[in-house]
Amino acid sequence: MHELGIVVHVINQIEELAKKNKVNKVVELTLEVGEVSGVVKEYFVDAFEWAKKKTEYMKECHLDYITIQGITYCEDCQKTYPTVQYGKECPYCHSPHTYLVTGKDVMIKNIKVE
Ligand SMILES: [Zn+2]
């Protein structure tokens, strides 16, 4: 499962940070997940809820999951458009010379500790 791998990676990063900074616990995690990152929200949340029970600092951590829209840029007409709706071909000039600007990453935006 793709989501579990990412969850474990994110949790490990935060656990390490918590340990380094000598916090008691991490109570909230704000995560930005790109629309075209391949992550399915339901699976991700399930995996997170399962995995956090095995952590040292994140047992009571609340997950704030924010979806970031996928945006693609067209090199030929210099316009941007929503990736999920139109895919790789520019809806304005039908050029295939496009690339993804946002929406591919999973990013830790903020954590709240006690
Ligand atoms: Zn275009």
Side-chain angles (χ1 to χ4, degrees), residues 74-79 81 90-95 97-98:
C74 173
E75 286 180 330
D76 287 340
C77 71
Q78 276 103 43
K79 283 180 179 149
Y81 62 88
C90 174
Y92 301 106
C93 70
H94 301 288
S95 163
H97 304 126
T98 60

Side-chain angles (χ1 to χ4, degrees), residues 18 29 54 58 66 89:
L29 160 64
K54 297 168 190 291
M58 299 175 70
I66 299 169
E89 192 186 291

